[in-house]
């Protein structure tokens, strides 16, 4: 039996989806108590999503074209 991959057609860019995820994590962190482990983990996830978004933009920049 062959397993088929589930295909998803995204309506927004990867960076937009990461920014939305970071926003959701920040909102969730605001609901937690300051200094709590849950809050720190949520803020860490938000920073990671923002960092990945910046890395993705950097990797797609035209300055990184392969040498000819």
């Amino acid at each position: 039996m062959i397993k088929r991959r589930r295909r998803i057609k995204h309506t927004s860019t990867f960076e937009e989806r990461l920014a939305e995820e970071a926003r959701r994590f920040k909102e969730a962190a605001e609901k937690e108590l300051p200094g709590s482990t849950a809050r720190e983990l949520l803020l860490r996830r938000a920073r990671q999503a923002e960092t990945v978004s910046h890395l993705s933009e950097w990797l797609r920049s035209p300055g990184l074209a392969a040498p000819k």
Side-chain angles (χ1 to χ4, degrees):
M1 187 180 335
I2 297 175
K3 284 189 175 184
R4 293 196 169 224
R5 271 180 66 178
R6 203 175 79 179
R7 301 287 178 176
I8 299 174
K9 187 74 170 181
H10 294 287
T11 57
S12 58
T13 66
F14 181 61
E15 287 80 16
E16 290 171 341
R17 292 192 311 269
L18 285 170
E20 176 64 23
E21 183 175 331
R23 186 189 60 76
R24 283 194 316 264
F25 282 131
K26 286 180 181 179
E27 286 177 358
E30 288 175 1
K31 296 176 184 175
E32 297 292 331
L33 294 173
S36 69
T37 304
R39 180 183 175 100
E40 296 303 317
L41 290 175
L42 288 166
L43 290 174
R44 179 185 298 173
R45 294 284 305 268
R47 282 191 305 273
Q48 287 173 346
E50 291 169 347
T51 301
V52 169
S53 178
H54 293 304
L55 284 173
S56 177
E57 289 174 13
W58 178 70
L59 289 172
R60 290 187 308 113
S61 69
L64 290 175
K68 295 181 180 178

